[in-house]
Amino acid sequence: MGRSFSDAADCSGPFSECNSDSSGEFSRPGSPLSGGSGSGRAAILHRLLISCAADNSDEFIHGLISDLESPSSSIDLQRQAAMELRLLAKHNPENRLKIGRAGAFRPLISLLSHSDPVLQENGVTAILNLSLCDENKDMIAAAGAIKPLVRALKNGIPVTRENAACALFRLSQIDEHKTAIGISGAIPHLVNLLQTGGPRGKKDASTALYSLCSTKENKIRAIQAGIVRPLLDLMADPDTGMVDKAAYVLYNLVSLPEGRTAAVEEDGIPVLVEIVEVGTQRQKEIAAATLLVICEESFSCRAMVAREGAIPPLVALSESGSSRAKQKAVALVELLRQPRAAAGGGQVRGAVGAD
């Protein structure tokens, strides 16, 4: 049953990658510019604009790191230094290398466990922005970022949780980090963000989960964490704008027997059939591919799909869909029309097991 997304459809559209932070650094409550006198705000703004410039010296960057590390630095000074490093890494790719080479990873990672929510947010987001550079990913993980990112994902304010999810996604682009992130306990917290987060949190969580669930162990962790129910809820509600993302994650999971069982037990078949009937072309394609995987080894599932009225919309898809969609629809219709004897006969042994 080993399949990749390329077997079903192009997933590049649904999963635009997590970007660098998009929060309002200059106006959000708690940011260095959210309060204070006009002259003080102007001075901070001047320094922040300098930090966004294309050419920053190594001396300037080392000074910011020293402000983070110095025991005598006030919270405000640390906030300002972390914000400037965050912006340096956001706006200039070369700065990401400079900051990493200057030794910023460990001081920034230490902020991830800080009791001050602004420092924690800036630390998480600076790590996210630095992780946009492929050369930094291994060094960030080696500096011990994964477990603190998971704690921030669990306990942070909403924007911190979202950016922690994005940072974990970025690190998971290195295959060996997928295992470490799964072992660290990230997946249940990503499932929680998928279920309870705001619109951006749900998107960030689904992107990270899609990447992490390319390994069997992480798929099992996600299924055990109850991911299938929130995925189906998102798929059943087009207003969330999450149908595509959730459907692609589900397709990833049904490659395992545990995933197929969970999809059926959580009443996923009616949701998938409805998408084949009324979804967009891409949604119809991935829903048909998912139903095909679910039905291939289970006559009882074929019967459920047929009872839901799937054959007419599948026939329509086989005539008007993309080449991949037509292929999946034709294969599924043929499967649904097979007599029970052709499927191997015997008694149904479970919701998804081979009959």
Side-chain angles (χ1 to χ4, degrees):
M1 302 297 293
R3 283 179 168 78
S4 66
F5 274 113
S6 61
D7 183 48
D10 178 8
C11 64
S12 58
F15 288 96
S16 56
E17 295 183 338
C18 291
N19 296 316
S20 60
D21 64 285
S22 57
S23 52
E25 299 98 340
F26 301 113
S27 60
R28 186 186 55 74
S31 74
L33 295 179
S34 61
S37 66
S39 61
R41 287 165 58 88
I44 296 172
L45 177 59
H46 176 70
R47 290 200 67 191
L48 289 176
L49 291 175
I50 290 174
S51 77
C52 296
D55 185 16
N56 286 279
S57 68
D58 292 339
E59 181 180 357
F60 179 70
I61 291 171
H62 279 286
L64 295 175
I65 295 171
S66 295
D67 288 343
L68 285 184
E69 293 182 306
S70 174
S72 62
S73 293
S74 66
I75 289 290
D76 285 341
L77 184 58
Q78 288 181 309
R79 284 182 177 182
Q80 183 175 312
M83 174 64 82
E84 292 182 10
L85 287 168
R86 164 182 173 170
L87 292 175
L88 279 167
K90 175 177 181 178
H91 291 290
N92 188 285
E94 182 62 29
N95 285 339
R96 295 169 193 151
L97 289 171
K98 286 184 179 181
I99 293 169
R101 292 166 183 165
F105 296 135
R106 291 189 186 278
L108 287 169
I109 290 168
S110 70
L111 301 182
L112 273 56
S113 303
H114 202 285
S115 59
D116 179 72
V118 176
L119 269 177
Q120 186 185 61
E121 177 196 338
N122 286 336
V124 166
T125 311
I127 292 295
L128 164 60
N129 293 346
L130 291 168
S131 71
L132 298 175
C133 172
D134 288 341
E135 294 181 41
N136 284 341
K137 289 181 171 69
D138 281 332
M139 291 188 288
I140 291 170
I146 290 176
K147 288 185 178 180
L149 282 170
V150 172
R151 287 195 294 270
L153 171 67
K154 178 183 179 182
N155 299 318
I157 61 176
V159 69
T160 298
R161 297 182 70 204
E162 293 162 0
N163 288 344
C166 278
L168 290 168
F169 161 67
R170 288 290 178 180
L171 296 182
S172 75
Q173 292 175 313
I174 305 295
D175 283 344
E176 52 264 36
H177 298 166
K178 289 180 169 68
T179 299
I181 293 169
I183 291 172
S184 73
I187 288 177
H189 304 307
L190 287 168
V191 172
N192 178 265
L193 183 61
L194 181 73
Q195 190 163 20
T196 65
R200 188 195 155 197
K202 293 179 187 296
K203 292 176 182 178
D204 293 341
S206 68
T207 302
L209 286 162
Y210 163 63
S211 177
L212 290 167
C213 287
S214 63
T215 73
K216 179 180 178 180
E217 294 78 12
N218 285 341
K219 289 176 188 178
I220 292 173
R221 292 183 178 104
I223 294 164
Q224 291 175 340
I227 190 176
V228 172
R229 183 68 264 159
L231 288 176
L232 291 171
D233 289 342
L234 292 168
M235 291 165 61
D237 184 3
D239 291 341
T240 64
M242 288 286 296
V243 176
D244 298 61
K245 289 180 172 63
Y248 275 90
V249 177
L250 182 66
Y251 177 81
N252 218 355
L253 298 174
V254 297
S255 64
L256 296 184
E258 297 91 339
R260 298 192 290 276
T261 297
V264 175
E265 290 181 348
E266 293 288 351
D267 295 323
I269 286 177
V271 175
L272 289 162
V273 172
E274 183 175 5
I275 292 173
V276 172
E277 186 172 4
V278 302
T280 66
Q281 285 299 312
R282 179 161 57 194
Q283 291 165 5
K284 291 178 180 182
E285 181 179 326
I286 191 62
T290 303
L291 287 168
L292 180 60
V293 175
I294 290 172
C295 290
E296 277 179 329
E297 297 184 10
S298 174
F299 183 86
S300 59
C301 288
R302 297 175 207 176
M304 283 188 272
V305 171
R307 284 197 300 270
E308 287 295 326
I311 290 179
L314 284 169
V315 170
L317 184 61
S318 72
E319 296 171 347
S320 62
S322 67
S323 59
R324 287 192 183 112
K326 290 178 180 178
Q327 177 187 8
K328 301 300 177 183
V330 167
L332 183 52
V333 169
E334 290 178 354
L335 205 58
L336 296 178
R337 286 175 170 169
Q338 283 183 3
R340 185 181 182 92
Q347 297 224 331
V348 176
R349 293 197 294 269
V352 192
D355 298 330

